[in-house]
Amino acid sequence: MPTVESGKPRARRGFAAMNPERRREIARKGGASVPGEKRSFAKDRDLAASAGRKGGEASRGGGRTRGRESQAPGPRL
């Protein structure tokens, strides 16, 4: 797969360099490396919701407002 800049083939790295069986083996493990007691979001719905809101605000540059504040102002009379 050549790059746009140089036309040279790129070295395959990470998962792309692994054979399909090795990739499946790793993917099958999923989140198994994390013990159940460490999965705080699975146990605390409010904590998960607040973390999601915080991440959404960071990625979108602010939270969404609900109600009339989020609508464009109407015509002035």
Side-chain angles (χ1 to χ4, degrees), residues 1-76:
M1 170 176 5
T3 62
V4 176
E5 303 88 36
S6 65
K8 297 178 186 175
R10 292 176 55 176
R12 291 174 49 144
R13 299 175 6 182
F15 279 107
M18 294 180 192
N19 68 31
E21 183 56 39
R22 178 71 177 133
R23 280 185 282 192
R24 277 192 290 275
E25 181 183 324
I26 292 171
R28 203 174 295 126
K29 293 179 182 179
S33 64
V34 181
E37 63 270 6
K38 299 272 185 170
R39 296 182 190 166
S40 58
F41 290 156
K43 294 180 178 180
D44 189 349
R45 187 177 174 99
D46 292 333
L47 180 62
S50 67
R53 260 192 304 281
K54 183 178 178 183
E57 289 173 2
S59 67
R60 292 187 202 105
R64 296 181 185 171
T65 57
R66 295 185 180 178
R68 293 186 56 77
E69 300 88 35
S70 63
Q71 297 175 354
R76 291 187 144 183

